[in-house]
Amino acid sequence: MAPADKSKPGIMACDYEIHANLPKQALELFALAQAQLLGIRGYIVREAADVYKGQLQGEGKLIEQFKHLVGTAGEYVAAIKEFSIKNLKPIQKYTYETFEIRKPK
């Protein structure tokens, strides 16, 4: 097995869930802006009045930075009850082109 290339950070993927009491599109638009700034790919979808879910793809440190930015944003910090990351795993290549807001099914 060849040694890992340390010059190129690995791509990680994870599912996430945010419980927050915010106006309808406020968190979605904020998450979109932060993901675009960080270069993270994936999506966010509003599952219920106070539950958002999605997937993130990017360097592990950027995923952590995204979680920190969303969880500590001044205007949202009191409204966000929980931000959990699940199923964090390395992936070989991106499956999303960008970060997008999806409509609930």
Side-chain angles (χ1 to χ4, degrees), residues 11-90:
I11 304 168
M12 303 295 286
C14 69
D15 299 317
Y16 69 95
E17 188 169 309
I18 303 171
H19 293 262
N21 187 15
L22 290 164
K24 188 171 191 274
Q25 293 178 324
L27 183 62
E28 293 169 333
L29 293 172
F30 181 71
L32 175 66
Q34 298 310 308
Q36 288 175 336
L37 282 172
L38 293 169
I40 291 177
R41 302 178 188 192
Y43 69 91
I44 186 169
V45 62
R46 186 172 184 224
E47 293 279 320
D50 63 346
V51 178
Y52 299 82
K53 292 184 178 182
Q55 189 171 84
L56 301 172
Q57 294 180 344
E59 292 177 34
K61 67 181 180 182
L62 295 179
I63 289 174
E64 277 303 314
Q65 196 171 355
F66 177 84
K67 180 180 178 183
H68 178 76
L69 285 169
V70 172
T72 60
E75 64 269 31
Y76 300 124
V77 73
I80 295 178
K81 301 171 200 156
E82 180 185 353
F83 189 133
S84 58
I85 289 180
K86 303 170 188 168
N87 307 321
L88 184 65
K89 62 184 182 236

Side-chain angles (χ1 to χ4, degrees), residues 84-98:
S84 58
I85 289 180
K86 303 170 188 168
N87 307 321
L88 184 65
K89 62 184 182 236
I91 59 174
Q92 294 298 314
K93 62 182 181 176
Y94 289 105
T95 57
Y96 296 101
E97 294 291 321
T98 61

